[in-house]
Amino acid sequence: EKVVVLNRMQADLQAVSPGLADIVEYKDGVAFLNLLTCCSNLQDLSRLDKKELLSIGGIGEAFAGRVIKWQKKAYFSREVAYVGPMIIEDAKRIIEIKRSIDELEEKIEDILKSSKLAETIGSIPGFGAVCTAELVAEIGTMERFSSERSLALYLGMAPLDKSSGKCQGTRTPTQINKRGKAAMMTAVAHNIRKVEESKRYYQKKRDEGKSHNQAVRALGRHMIRVIWSMTKRNEIYEIREGENKTCSDETSAAIPA
């Protein structure tokens, strides 16, 4: 729902006041949403002074400066009379959804504390509470899988060979857990941004001609090995001091070249 409402709000904003839409890159930020909802009329935003802006939650000097700069050339299309109220209502709804999401994530984090598998998976950088919860729920127990390859196939991280003659290639298994795969792909993508070795490995795969998803799955395949080994050894993922790499005995071996 958040994505649907946010996309609609962004489209309406771009239509009635492009300059206002360009103040921030991400329209779901607290400061921007609070700005949109601080007045009953969208056009009143162009008349707020600096003191009023700074009294709005989440807005600091830098953000207020961007708003003031926009105010000097603020433009609203004629449609703002009836589209403006819809934008404000969408902004209010996004705030409510974000609050609900935060509450749910807190509950999820409390539940995860009772799961050893969640502790193991959640210790990996980038594997946040939501993705970890999704993975733990879909995996259930490691005893279901005979090997780490079986787990990799289940989570869609082990493409099958579809080479024929001179043609070389792979295909994604059809019998996979789609929810688990989506959670794994999201978590690994976050891991790439947080761990330098992961970023280098991802870039290496891209330089080899792999697509974004293929490169993420390649790293995800390695992460499955790490998760499998950590689970069997009852270890967690750690970061060596001064280094951006794993440190969990052989499970923390550098990402393969």
Side-chain angles (χ1 to χ4, degrees):
E1 182 185 358
K2 177 189 169 186
V3 173
V4 172
V5 177
L6 181 60
N7 287 343
R8 182 175 65 209
M9 186 190 78
Q10 290 183 119
D12 289 343
L13 262 177
Q14 197 65 45
V16 301
S17 184
L20 178 58
D22 293 338
I23 288 179
V24 293
E25 181 179 359
Y26 300 105
K27 310 302 186 289
D28 60 346
V30 173
F32 189 65
L33 292 174
N34 287 344
L35 174 67
L36 292 178
T37 57
C38 73
C39 299
S40 58
N41 187 327
L42 201 66
Q43 291 170 294
D44 289 342
L45 298 181
S46 63
R47 293 184 283 272
L48 295 175
D49 60 32
K50 186 175 182 179
K51 184 177 179 180
E52 290 173 318
L53 288 171
L54 292 175
S55 69
I56 299 172
I59 294 184
E61 289 283 346
F63 191 91
R66 293 203 298 271
V67 176
I68 292 172
K69 184 178 179 180
W70 160 74
Q71 288 174 330
K72 295 176 181 178
K73 51 182 179 180
Y75 164 81
F76 296 95
S77 68
R78 288 177 296 179
E79 290 80 8
V80 71
Y82 59 89
V83 178
M86 292 190 291
I87 291 173
I88 294 172
E89 286 305 310
D90 281 344
K92 290 179 179 178
R93 180 56 186 154
I94 294 170
I95 291 174
E96 292 175 1
I97 295 172
K98 285 168 65 70
R99 189 178 297 118
S100 296
I101 290 173
D102 290 340
E103 292 173 355
L104 284 172
E105 288 185 353
E106 286 182 8
K107 292 179 180 178
I108 289 172
E109 288 176 356
D110 287 338
I111 294 172
L112 290 180
K113 292 176 182 177
S114 62
S115 169
K116 184 62 180 176
L117 180 57
E119 180 186 2
T120 300
I121 295 176
S123 67
I124 303 174
F127 283 63
V130 175
C131 287
T132 296
E134 190 80 59
L135 286 168
V136 171
E138 300 305 328
I139 291 172
T141 173
M142 285 295 192
E143 280 63 42
R144 296 174 57 201
F145 305 96
S146 59
S147 66
E148 53 88 15
R149 175 169 173 75
S150 177
L151 175 62
L153 282 169
Y154 179 71
L155 294 178
M157 296 296 113
L160 301 175
D161 180 52
K162 71 167 186 178
S163 300
S164 176
K166 295 182 179 180
C167 297
Q168 302 294 319
T170 60
R171 65 180 176 85
T172 302
T174 55
Q175 308 219 341
I176 62 173
N177 186 306
K178 293 183 179 180
R179 292 174 66 92
K181 178 184 177 182
M184 190 70 187
M185 291 288 287
T186 299
V188 172
H190 285 304
N191 178 265
I192 291 169
R193 289 194 286 270
K194 289 178 175 291
V195 179
E196 195 60 37
E197 282 194 64
S198 297
K199 187 184 299 184
R200 286 196 295 268
Y201 182 72
Y202 166 82
Q203 190 57 53
K204 177 176 180 290
K205 290 299 178 182
R206 292 306 307 272
D207 292 341
E208 292 174 356
K210 303 291 186 183
S211 68
H212 167 73
N213 285 344
Q214 288 175 326
V216 171
R217 282 198 300 271
L219 179 58
R221 181 68 182 89
H222 174 67
M223 284 299 177
I224 293 295
R225 297 188 190 99
V226 172
I227 292 171
W228 181 268
S229 186
M230 285 194 302
T231 303
K232 297 304 179 182
R233 293 169 175 270
N234 195 28
E235 297 172 341
I236 62 172
Y237 192 107
E238 298 177 351
I239 301 293
R240 292 194 186 111
E241 186 176 354
E243 295 184 29
N244 200 1
K245 62 175 68 175
T246 55
C247 177
S248 179
D249 296 333
E250 68 180 49
T251 64
S252 65
I255 294 170

